[in-house]
Amino acid sequence: GQQVMQIPQYQHVQEGEDFTTYCNSSTTLSNIQWYKQRPGGHPVFLIQLVKSGEVKKQKRLTFQFGEAKKNSSLHITATQTTDVGTYFCAGMESGASGSRLTFGEGTQLTVNP
Amino acid sequence: DGGITQSPKYLFRKEGQNVTLSCEQNLNHDAMYWYRQDPGQGLRLIYYSQIVNDFQKGDIAEGYSVSREKKESFPLTVTSAQKNPTAFYLCASRRTGTYGYTFGSGTRLTVV
């Protein structure tokens, strides 16, 4: 089955520094989604990327989808304490039984003020 | 406000007992999903359902069972056959044709 790998597992930054997490899939993805989970909370949908080479921005967050549609990245510029949490990528599989997401292991971000 | 409700928030179970986790949504979403999350790990798919009265096994279905008798409800039963049931269980839903999943706030199950 599809496997989604994410690195790094942990990242500690000083407030104001940039942060990047990378996601790689064992198979070509139809699309990739990104979620954020605050400590003690549940995952919240951030964005979906569909097209090869696609780049999307949400304020200080920049999301990229690789040309081969097998990798993706999330970059946060000038981190703030509100960015603390675990960021997950998830690849979508579609088949006869419907669609399902396979999640990466996540990158846990801590921001020192 | 529409959303997904999972209950209870915390659940303690004695070894050898079955327990059922509730998941209810009023978003009119067609698809529903159960994921398990262990500390420091990602989400692993247990079961999912695209329509009423139909569901499919995910990657770690052994020791779990589900039902989908109503569109709004997708309860998960953790049976005594599940070897290591202590975990954080997340229910999610998605409307057909839309993008992201909407997650419930989760149930933390502890086997004592």
Side-chain angles (χ1 to χ4, degrees):
Chain A
Q2 179 179 274
Q3 288 187 317
V4 177
M5 293 144 285
Q6 203 173 339
I7 58 169
Q9 188 174 2
Y10 302 97
Q11 186 77 58
H12 308 280
V13 300
Q14 287 295 128
E15 191 172 18
E17 292 181 341
D18 293 355
F19 158 77
T20 304
T21 173
Y22 301 91
C23 183
N24 287 284
S25 170
S26 57
T27 59
T28 301
L29 300 169
S30 57
N31 65 64
I32 195 157
Q33 298 181 9
W34 286 89
Y35 291 78
K36 176 183 179 181
Q37 184 176 24
R38 294 183 185 274
H42 57 275
V44 175
F45 173 71
L46 294 177
I47 206 162
Q48 175 173 282
L49 304 172
V50 178
K51 299 177 183 177
S52 169
E54 189 170 15
V55 178
K56 286 188 176 180
K57 292 191 176 185
Q58 288 180 350
K59 297 184 180 178
R60 295 178 294 105
L61 278 62
T62 302
F63 304 85
Q64 293 189 332
F65 200 10
E67 293 291 339
K69 300 184 74 173
K70 295 181 73 172
N71 62 286
S72 181
S73 65
L74 158 60
H75 179 82
I76 301 179
T77 303
T79 54
Q80 299 175 358
T81 55
T82 53
D83 295 325
V84 165
T86 302
Y87 292 85
F88 293 97
C89 63
M92 181 68 79
E93 283 180 84
S94 296
S97 301
S99 299
R100 46 164 288 178
L101 282 178
T102 298
F103 282 79
E105 292 185 346
T107 296
Q108 187 174 320
L109 172 66
T110 55
V111 180
N112 297 322
Chain B
D1 288 339
I4 298 182
T5 302
Q6 287 188 245
S7 61
K9 191 174 178 68
Y10 298 95
L11 187 58
F12 295 87
R13 184 196 102 178
K14 289 186 178 180
E15 213 169 314
Q17 289 181 338
N18 292 355
V19 63
T20 297
L21 281 58
S22 170
C23 178
E24 303 278 334
Q25 54 100 357
N26 60 3
L27 299 165
N28 199 32
H29 286 180
D30 300 299
M32 297 187 74
Y33 307 83
W34 273 106
Y35 284 88
R36 168 183 171 141
Q37 186 175 33
D38 293 284
Q41 296 189 29
L43 285 68
R44 292 184 290 167
L45 183 64
I46 306 173
Y47 268 98
Y48 62 109
S49 168
Q50 302 293 318
I51 56 173
V52 174
N53 292 322
D54 188 40
F55 48 83
Q56 284 74 42
K57 292 182 179 180
D59 300 318
I60 56 166
E62 185 175 349
Y64 300 97
S65 66
V66 294
S67 64
R68 187 87 187 275
E69 297 176 0
K70 298 186 300 180
K71 187 175 184 178
E72 302 78 20
S73 178
F74 192 39
L76 173 74
T77 297
V78 185
T79 75
S80 56
Q82 169 51 231
K83 299 280 186 254
N84 185 20
T86 295
F88 186 42
Y89 290 88
L90 287 157
C91 180
S93 70
R94 184 177 76 100
R95 189 173 61 191
T96 303
T98 62
Y99 296 163
Y101 288 12
T102 300
F103 281 86
S105 56
T107 292
R108 295 190 184 275
L109 173 65
T110 303
V111 174
V112 296

PDB file of all heavy atoms in Angstrom, chain A residues 18-48:
ATOM      1  N   ASP A  18      12.849  30.398  10.423  1.00  0.00           N
ATOM      2  CA  ASP A  18      12.013  29.684   9.468  1.00  0.00           C
ATOM      3  C   ASP A  18      11.975  28.195   9.799  1.00  0.00           C
ATOM      4  O   ASP A  18      12.834  27.665  10.515  1.00  0.00           O
ATOM      5  CB  ASP A  18      12.545  29.867   8.042  1.00  0.00           C
ATOM      6  CG  ASP A  18      12.411  31.290   7.539  1.00  0.00           C
ATOM      7  OD1 ASP A  18      11.820  32.131   8.260  1.00  0.00           O
ATOM      8  OD2 ASP A  18      12.888  31.566   6.423  1.00  0.00           O
ATOM      9  N   PHE A  19      10.971  27.513   9.245  1.00  0.00           N
ATOM     10  CA  PHE A  19      10.776  26.088   9.496  1.00  0.00           C
ATOM     11  C   PHE A  19      10.296  25.410   8.217  1.00  0.00           C
ATOM     12  O   PHE A  19       9.482  25.990   7.480  1.00  0.00           O
ATOM     13  CB  PHE A  19       9.730  25.908  10.602  1.00  0.00           C
ATOM     14  CG  PHE A  19       9.051  24.560  10.626  1.00  0.00           C
ATOM     15  CD1 PHE A  19       9.707  23.445  11.132  1.00  0.00           C
ATOM     16  CD2 PHE A  19       7.755  24.402  10.147  1.00  0.00           C
ATOM     17  CE1 PHE A  19       9.080  22.208  11.162  1.00  0.00           C
ATOM     18  CE2 PHE A  19       7.125  23.170  10.172  1.00  0.00           C
ATOM     19  CZ  PHE A  19       7.782  22.069  10.684  1.00  0.00           C
ATOM     20  N   THR A  20      10.838  24.219   7.947  1.00  0.00           N
ATOM     21  CA  THR A  20      10.382  23.453   6.790  1.00  0.00           C
ATOM     22  C   THR A  20      10.213  21.992   7.163  1.00  0.00           C
ATOM     23  O   THR A  20      11.065  21.418   7.840  1.00  0.00           O
ATOM     24  CB  THR A  20      11.376  23.559   5.621  1.00  0.00           C
ATOM     25  OG1 THR A  20      11.590  24.932   5.298  1.00  0.00           O
ATOM     26  CG2 THR A  20      10.828  22.848   4.388  1.00  0.00           C
ATOM     27  N   THR A  21       9.153  21.382   6.701  1.00  0.00           N
ATOM     28  CA  THR A  21       8.938  19.949   6.838  1.00  0.00           C
ATOM     29  C   THR A  21       8.729  19.351   5.457  1.00  0.00           C
ATOM     30  O   THR A  21       8.112  19.988   4.592  1.00  0.00           O
ATOM     31  CB  THR A  21       7.765  19.615   7.776  1.00  0.00           C
ATOM     32  OG1 THR A  21       7.514  18.207   7.744  1.00  0.00           O
ATOM     33  CG2 THR A  21       6.490  20.346   7.381  1.00  0.00           C
ATOM     34  N   TYR A  22       9.256  18.125   5.267  1.00  0.00           N
ATOM     35  CA  TYR A  22       9.245  17.494   3.958  1.00  0.00           C
ATOM     36  C   TYR A  22       8.464  16.187   3.999  1.00  0.00           C
ATOM     37  O   TYR A  22       8.524  15.440   4.971  1.00  0.00           O
ATOM     38  CB  TYR A  22      10.683  17.205   3.506  1.00  0.00           C
ATOM     39  CG  TYR A  22      11.550  18.433   3.409  1.00  0.00           C
ATOM     40  CD1 TYR A  22      12.299  18.863   4.502  1.00  0.00           C
ATOM     41  CD2 TYR A  22      11.606  19.179   2.230  1.00  0.00           C
ATOM     42  CE1 TYR A  22      13.087  19.994   4.422  1.00  0.00           C
ATOM     43  CE2 TYR A  22      12.397  20.315   2.144  1.00  0.00           C
ATOM     44  CZ  TYR A  22      13.136  20.717   3.240  1.00  0.00           C
ATOM     45  OH  TYR A  22      13.914  21.839   3.157  1.00  0.00           O
ATOM     46  N   CYS A  23       7.809  15.891   2.906  1.00  0.00           N
ATOM     47  CA  CYS A  23       6.944  14.732   2.813  1.00  0.00           C
ATOM     48  C   CYS A  23       7.266  13.982   1.521  1.00  0.00           C
ATOM     49  O   CYS A  23       7.364  14.605   0.459  1.00  0.00           O
ATOM     50  CB  CYS A  23       5.499  15.219   2.807  1.00  0.00           C
ATOM     51  SG  CYS A  23       4.260  13.953   2.793  1.00  0.00           S
ATOM     52  N   ASN A  24       7.439  12.658   1.627  1.00  0.00           N
ATOM     53  CA  ASN A  24       7.719  11.843   0.446  1.00  0.00           C
ATOM     54  C   ASN A  24       6.818  10.630   0.413  1.00  0.00           C
ATOM     55  O   ASN A  24       6.615   9.975   1.441  1.00  0.00           O
ATOM     56  CB  ASN A  24       9.179  11.379   0.457  1.00  0.00           C
ATOM     57  CG  ASN A  24      10.129  12.504   0.143  1.00  0.00           C
ATOM     58  OD1 ASN A  24      10.266  12.915  -0.995  1.00  0.00           O
ATOM     59  ND2 ASN A  24      10.775  13.014   1.169  1.00  0.00           N
ATOM     60  N   SER A  25       6.318  10.332  -0.777  1.00  0.00           N
ATOM     61  CA  SER A  25       5.425   9.189  -0.942  1.00  0.00           C
ATOM     62  C   SER A  25       6.107   8.098  -1.760  1.00  0.00           C
ATOM     63  O   SER A  25       6.922   8.379  -2.630  1.00  0.00           O
ATOM     64  CB  SER A  25       4.149   9.625  -1.653  1.00  0.00           C
ATOM     65  OG  SER A  25       3.377   8.503  -2.024  1.00  0.00           O
ATOM     66  N   SER A  26       5.745   6.860  -1.460  1.00  0.00           N
ATOM     67  CA  SER A  26       6.288   5.732  -2.215  1.00  0.00           C
ATOM     68  C   SER A  26       5.617   5.596  -3.583  1.00  0.00           C
ATOM     69  O   SER A  26       6.124   4.895  -4.458  1.00  0.00           O
ATOM     70  CB  SER A  26       6.111   4.431  -1.423  1.00  0.00           C
ATOM     71  OG  SER A  26       4.750   4.218  -1.122  1.00  0.00           O
ATOM     72  N   THR A  27       4.492   6.259  -3.755  1.00  0.00           N
ATOM     73  CA  THR A  27       3.759   6.202  -5.019  1.00  0.00           C
ATOM     74  C   THR A  27       3.363   7.614  -5.457  1.00  0.00           C
ATOM     75  O   THR A  27       3.406   8.553  -4.664  1.00  0.00           O
ATOM     76  CB  THR A  27       2.482   5.352  -4.893  1.00  0.00           C
ATOM     77  OG1 THR A  27       1.650   5.937  -3.885  1.00  0.00           O
ATOM     78  CG2 THR A  27       2.808   3.918  -4.497  1.00  0.00           C
ATOM     79  N   THR A  28       2.994   7.744  -6.707  1.00  0.00           N
ATOM     80  CA  THR A  28       2.508   9.022  -7.207  1.00  0.00           C
ATOM     81  C   THR A  28       1.149   9.324  -6.585  1.00  0.00           C
ATOM     82  O   THR A  28       0.276   8.458  -6.529  1.00  0.00           O
ATOM     83  CB  THR A  28       2.378   8.980  -8.736  1.00  0.00           C
ATOM     84  OG1 THR A  28       3.655   8.683  -9.299  1.00  0.00           O
ATOM     85  CG2 THR A  28       1.895  10.332  -9.272  1.00  0.00           C
ATOM     86  N   LEU A  29       1.000  10.533  -6.127  1.00  0.00           N
ATOM     87  CA  LEU A  29      -0.213  10.926  -5.425  1.00  0.00           C
ATOM     88  C   LEU A  29      -1.171  11.673  -6.348  1.00  0.00           C
ATOM     89  O   LEU A  29      -0.747  12.463  -7.185  1.00  0.00           O
ATOM     90  CB  LEU A  29       0.137  11.816  -4.233  1.00  0.00           C
ATOM     91  CG  LEU A  29       1.051  11.198  -3.181  1.00  0.00           C
ATOM     92  CD1 LEU A  29       1.542  12.256  -2.216  1.00  0.00           C
ATOM     93  CD2 LEU A  29       0.340  10.084  -2.443  1.00  0.00           C
ATOM     94  N   SER A  30      -2.467  11.449  -6.158  1.00  0.00           N
ATOM     95  CA  SER A  30      -3.444  12.251  -6.899  1.00  0.00           C
ATOM     96  C   SER A  30      -3.520  13.648  -6.295  1.00  0.00           C
ATOM     97  O   SER A  30      -3.702  14.637  -6.999  1.00  0.00           O
ATOM     98  CB  SER A  30      -4.820  11.583  -6.871  1.00  0.00           C
ATOM     99  OG  SER A  30      -5.249  11.389  -5.535  1.00  0.00           O
ATOM    100  N   ASN A  31      -3.379  13.712  -5.003  1.00  0.00           N
ATOM    101  CA  ASN A  31      -3.277  15.006  -4.346  1.00  0.00           C
ATOM    102  C   ASN A  31      -2.657  14.800  -2.969  1.00  0.00           C
ATOM    103  O   ASN A  31      -2.518  13.662  -2.506  1.00  0.00           O
ATOM    104  CB  ASN A  31      -4.643  15.691  -4.228  1.00  0.00           C
ATOM    105  CG  ASN A  31      -5.615  14.940  -3.339  1.00  0.00           C
ATOM    106  OD1 ASN A  31      -5.400  14.785  -2.143  1.00  0.00           O
ATOM    107  ND2 ASN A  31      -6.706  14.457  -3.918  1.00  0.00           N
ATOM    108  N   ILE A  32      -2.252  15.891  -2.350  1.00  0.00           N
ATOM    109  CA  ILE A  32      -1.697  15.821  -1.012  1.00  0.00           C
ATOM    110  C   ILE A  32      -2.350  16.892  -0.160  1.00  0.00           C
ATOM    111  O   ILE A  32      -2.645  17.989  -0.639  1.00  0.00           O
ATOM    112  CB  ILE A  32      -0.166  15.954  -1.018  1.00  0.00           C
ATOM    113  CG1 ILE A  32       0.405  15.517   0.334  1.00  0.00           C
ATOM    114  CG2 ILE A  32       0.274  17.369  -1.368  1.00  0.00           C
ATOM    115  CD1 ILE A  32       1.853  15.098   0.273  1.00  0.00           C
ATOM    116  N   GLN A  33      -2.597  16.546   1.093  1.00  0.00           N
ATOM    117  CA  GLN A  33      -3.205  17.482   2.015  1.00  0.00           C
ATOM    118  C   GLN A  33      -2.271  17.705   3.202  1.00  0.00           C
ATOM    119  O   GLN A  33      -1.451  16.851   3.532  1.00  0.00           O
ATOM    120  CB  GLN A  33      -4.542  16.941   2.511  1.00  0.00           C
ATOM    121  CG  GLN A  33      -5.568  16.742   1.403  1.00  0.00           C
ATOM    122  CD  GLN A  33      -6.895  16.236   1.895  1.00  0.00           C
ATOM    123  OE1 GLN A  33      -7.161  16.163   3.102  1.00  0.00           O
ATOM    124  NE2 GLN A  33      -7.769  15.893   0.972  1.00  0.00           N
ATOM    125  N   TRP A  34      -2.416  18.860   3.825  1.00  0.00           N
ATOM    126  CA  TRP A  34      -1.648  19.196   5.025  1.00  0.00           C
ATOM    127  C   TRP A  34      -2.602  19.536   6.167  1.00  0.00           C
ATOM    128  O   TRP A  34      -3.627  20.220   5.955  1.00  0.00           O
ATOM    129  CB  TRP A  34      -0.713  20.372   4.759  1.00  0.00           C
ATOM    130  CG  TRP A  34       0.476  20.011   3.930  1.00  0.00           C
ATOM    131  CD1 TRP A  34       0.584  20.036   2.578  1.00  0.00           C
ATOM    132  CD2 TRP A  34       1.739  19.540   4.419  1.00  0.00           C
ATOM    133  NE1 TRP A  34       1.839  19.618   2.194  1.00  0.00           N
ATOM    134  CE2 TRP A  34       2.567  19.309   3.307  1.00  0.00           C
ATOM    135  CE3 TRP A  34       2.267  19.294   5.701  1.00  0.00           C
ATOM    136  CZ2 TRP A  34       3.887  18.855   3.412  1.00  0.00           C
ATOM    137  CZ3 TRP A  34       3.567  18.846   5.803  1.00  0.00           C
ATOM    138  CH2 TRP A  34       4.366  18.629   4.674  1.00  0.00           C
ATOM    139  N   TYR A  35      -2.245  19.042   7.352  1.00  0.00           N
ATOM    140  CA  TYR A  35      -3.026  19.259   8.560  1.00  0.00           C
ATOM    141  C   TYR A  35      -2.123  19.752   9.671  1.00  0.00           C
ATOM    142  O   TYR A  35      -0.942  19.436   9.705  1.00  0.00           O
ATOM    143  CB  TYR A  35      -3.697  17.951   9.018  1.00  0.00           C
ATOM    144  CG  TYR A  35      -4.801  17.466   8.107  1.00  0.00           C
ATOM    145  CD1 TYR A  35      -4.495  16.817   6.919  1.00  0.00           C
ATOM    146  CD2 TYR A  35      -6.138  17.665   8.429  1.00  0.00           C
ATOM    147  CE1 TYR A  35      -5.500  16.388   6.071  1.00  0.00           C
ATOM    148  CE2 TYR A  35      -7.149  17.234   7.593  1.00  0.00           C
ATOM    149  CZ  TYR A  35      -6.826  16.596   6.414  1.00  0.00           C
ATOM    150  OH  TYR A  35      -7.822  16.165   5.581  1.00  0.00           O
ATOM    151  N   LYS A  36      -2.736  20.491  10.625  1.00  0.00           N
ATOM    152  CA  LYS A  36      -2.015  20.931  11.814  1.00  0.00           C
ATOM    153  C   LYS A  36      -2.765  20.424  13.036  1.00  0.00           C
ATOM    154  O   LYS A  36      -3.990  20.544  13.112  1.00  0.00           O
ATOM    155  CB  LYS A  36      -1.925  22.457  11.877  1.00  0.00           C
ATOM    156  CG  LYS A  36      -1.257  22.974  13.154  1.00  0.00           C
ATOM    157  CD  LYS A  36      -1.249  24.481  13.200  1.00  0.00           C
ATOM    158  CE  LYS A  36      -0.611  24.990  14.494  1.00  0.00           C
ATOM    159  NZ  LYS A  36      -0.613  26.466  14.578  1.00  0.00           N
ATOM    160  N   GLN A  37      -2.010  19.872  13.975  1.00  0.00           N
ATOM    161  CA  GLN A  37      -2.595  19.396  15.226  1.00  0.00           C
ATOM    162  C   GLN A  37      -1.907  20.110  16.383  1.00  0.00           C
ATOM    163  O   GLN A  37      -0.716  19.913  16.621  1.00  0.00           O
ATOM    164  CB  GLN A  37      -2.436  17.877  15.356  1.00  0.00           C
ATOM    165  CG  GLN A  37      -3.094  17.274  16.591  1.00  0.00           C
ATOM    166  CD  GLN A  37      -2.982  15.750  16.617  1.00  0.00           C
ATOM    167  OE1 GLN A  37      -2.093  15.166  16.011  1.00  0.00           O
ATOM    168  NE2 GLN A  37      -3.884  15.089  17.329  1.00  0.00           N
ATOM    169  N   ARG A  38      -2.659  20.925  17.098  1.00  0.00           N
ATOM    170  CA  ARG A  38      -2.104  21.596  18.267  1.00  0.00           C
ATOM    171  C   ARG A  38      -1.957  20.589  19.398  1.00  0.00           C
ATOM    172  O   ARG A  38      -2.679  19.587  19.444  1.00  0.00           O
ATOM    173  CB  ARG A  38      -3.010  22.738  18.702  1.00  0.00           C
ATOM    174  CG  ARG A  38      -3.106  23.873  17.701  1.00  0.00           C
ATOM    175  CD  ARG A  38      -3.961  25.014  18.232  1.00  0.00           C
ATOM    176  NE  ARG A  38      -4.162  26.049  17.232  1.00  0.00           N
ATOM    177  CZ  ARG A  38      -3.312  27.048  17.036  1.00  0.00           C
ATOM    178  NH1 ARG A  38      -2.225  27.150  17.774  1.00  0.00           N
ATOM    179  NH2 ARG A  38      -3.565  27.951  16.119  1.00  0.00           N
ATOM    180  N   PRO A  39      -1.068  20.828  20.347  1.00  0.00           N
ATOM    181  CA  PRO A  39      -0.900  19.902  21.481  1.00  0.00           C
ATOM    182  C   PRO A  39      -2.229  19.648  22.186  1.00  0.00           C
ATOM    183  O   PRO A  39      -2.941  20.581  22.551  1.00  0.00           O
ATOM    184  CB  PRO A  39       0.085  20.651  22.380  1.00  0.00           C
ATOM    185  CG  PRO A  39       0.868  21.511  21.453  1.00  0.00           C
ATOM    186  CD  PRO A  39      -0.101  21.940  20.391  1.00  0.00           C
ATOM    187  N   GLY A  40      -2.579  18.378  22.340  1.00  0.00           N
ATOM    188  CA  GLY A  40      -3.823  18.009  22.999  1.00  0.00           C
ATOM    189  C   GLY A  40      -5.056  18.147  22.134  1.00  0.00           C
ATOM    190  O   GLY A  40      -6.174  17.894  22.602  1.00  0.00           O
ATOM    191  N   GLY A  41      -4.867  18.541  20.886  1.00  0.00           N
ATOM    192  CA  GLY A  41      -6.019  18.775  20.006  1.00  0.00           C
ATOM    193  C   GLY A  41      -6.159  17.736  18.915  1.00  0.00           C
ATOM    194  O   GLY A  41      -5.574  16.660  18.983  1.00  0.00           O
ATOM    195  N   HIS A  42      -6.966  18.089  17.921  1.00  0.00           N
ATOM    196  CA  HIS A  42      -7.195  17.181  16.813  1.00  0.00           C
ATOM    197  C   HIS A  42      -6.684  17.826  15.525  1.00  0.00           C
ATOM    198  O   HIS A  42      -6.523  19.051  15.466  1.00  0.00           O
ATOM    199  CB  HIS A  42      -8.694  16.860  16.696  1.00  0.00           C
ATOM    200  CG  HIS A  42      -9.558  18.065  16.529  1.00  0.00           C
ATOM    201  ND1 HIS A  42     -10.010  18.812  17.584  1.00  0.00           N
ATOM    202  CD2 HIS A  42     -10.032  18.653  15.408  1.00  0.00           C
ATOM    203  CE1 HIS A  42     -10.741  19.800  17.133  1.00  0.00           C
ATOM    204  NE2 HIS A  42     -10.772  19.745  15.820  1.00  0.00           N
ATOM    205  N   PRO A  43      -6.418  17.035  14.494  1.00  0.00           N
ATOM    206  CA  PRO A  43      -5.924  17.604  13.246  1.00  0.00           C
ATOM    207  C   PRO A  43      -6.936  18.552  12.613  1.00  0.00           C
ATOM    208  O   PRO A  43      -8.146  18.276  12.612  1.00  0.00           O
ATOM    209  CB  PRO A  43      -5.692  16.380  12.362  1.00  0.00           C
ATOM    210  CG  PRO A  43      -5.540  15.247  13.319  1.00  0.00           C
ATOM    211  CD  PRO A  43      -6.450  15.572  14.457  1.00  0.00           C
ATOM    212  N   VAL A  44      -6.421  19.640  12.049  1.00  0.00           N
ATOM    213  CA  VAL A  44      -7.239  20.613  11.350  1.00  0.00           C
ATOM    214  C   VAL A  44      -6.695  20.768   9.940  1.00  0.00           C
ATOM    215  O   VAL A  44      -5.493  20.968   9.750  1.00  0.00           O
ATOM    216  CB  VAL A  44      -7.234  21.974  12.082  1.00  0.00           C
ATOM    217  CG1 VAL A  44      -7.984  23.022  11.272  1.00  0.00           C
ATOM    218  CG2 VAL A  44      -7.848  21.841  13.462  1.00  0.00           C
ATOM    219  N   PHE A  45      -7.566  20.672   8.968  1.00  0.00           N
ATOM    220  CA  PHE A  45      -7.184  20.761   7.562  1.00  0.00           C
ATOM    221  C   PHE A  45      -6.620  22.139   7.241  1.00  0.00           C
ATOM    222  O   PHE A  45      -7.212  23.171   7.597  1.00  0.00           O
ATOM    223  CB  PHE A  45      -8.409  20.463   6.708  1.00  0.00           C
ATOM    224  CG  PHE A  45      -8.231  20.680   5.234  1.00  0.00           C
ATOM    225  CD1 PHE A  45      -7.432  19.821   4.488  1.00  0.00           C
ATOM    226  CD2 PHE A  45      -8.843  21.738   4.581  1.00  0.00           C
ATOM    227  CE1 PHE A  45      -7.266  19.999   3.121  1.00  0.00           C
ATOM    228  CE2 PHE A  45      -8.687  21.924   3.217  1.00  0.00           C
ATOM    229  CZ  PHE A  45      -7.899  21.049   2.496  1.00  0.00           C
ATOM    230  N   LEU A  46      -5.470  22.156   6.559  1.00  0.00           N
ATOM    231  CA  LEU A  46      -4.874  23.421   6.149  1.00  0.00           C
ATOM    232  C   LEU A  46      -5.081  23.674   4.658  1.00  0.00           C
ATOM    233  O   LEU A  46      -5.560  24.748   4.259  1.00  0.00           O
ATOM    234  CB  LEU A  46      -3.365  23.417   6.442  1.00  0.00           C
ATOM    235  CG  LEU A  46      -2.952  23.377   7.905  1.00  0.00           C
ATOM    236  CD1 LEU A  46      -1.428  23.293   8.019  1.00  0.00           C
ATOM    237  CD2 LEU A  46      -3.481  24.588   8.653  1.00  0.00           C
ATOM    238  N   ILE A  47      -4.706  22.673   3.832  1.00  0.00           N
ATOM    239  CA  ILE A  47      -4.712  22.931   2.400  1.00  0.00           C
ATOM    240  C   ILE A  47      -4.611  21.630   1.621  1.00  0.00           C
ATOM    241  O   ILE A  47      -4.179  20.613   2.176  1.00  0.00           O
ATOM    242  CB  ILE A  47      -3.545  23.860   2.021  1.00  0.00           C
ATOM    243  CG1 ILE A  47      -3.833  24.666   0.758  1.00  0.00           C
ATOM    244  CG2 ILE A  47      -2.239  23.075   1.888  1.00  0.00           C
ATOM    245  CD1 ILE A  47      -2.926  25.874   0.613  1.00  0.00           C
ATOM    246  N   GLN A  48      -5.008  21.667   0.357  1.00  0.00           N
ATOM    247  CA  GLN A  48      -4.831  20.540  -0.552  1.00  0.00           C
ATOM    248  C   GLN A  48      -4.096  21.027  -1.802  1.00  0.00           C
ATOM    249  O   GLN A  48      -4.386  22.089  -2.327  1.00  0.00           O
ATOM    250  CB  GLN A  48      -6.173  19.934  -0.963  1.00  0.00           C
ATOM    251  CG  GLN A  48      -6.023  18.833  -2.016  1.00  0.00           C
ATOM    252  CD  GLN A  48      -7.311  18.121  -2.316  1.00  0.00           C
ATOM    253  OE1 GLN A  48      -7.749  17.270  -1.553  1.00  0.00           O
ATOM    254  NE2 GLN A  48      -7.927  18.453  -3.439  1.00  0.00           N
TER     255      GLN A  48
END
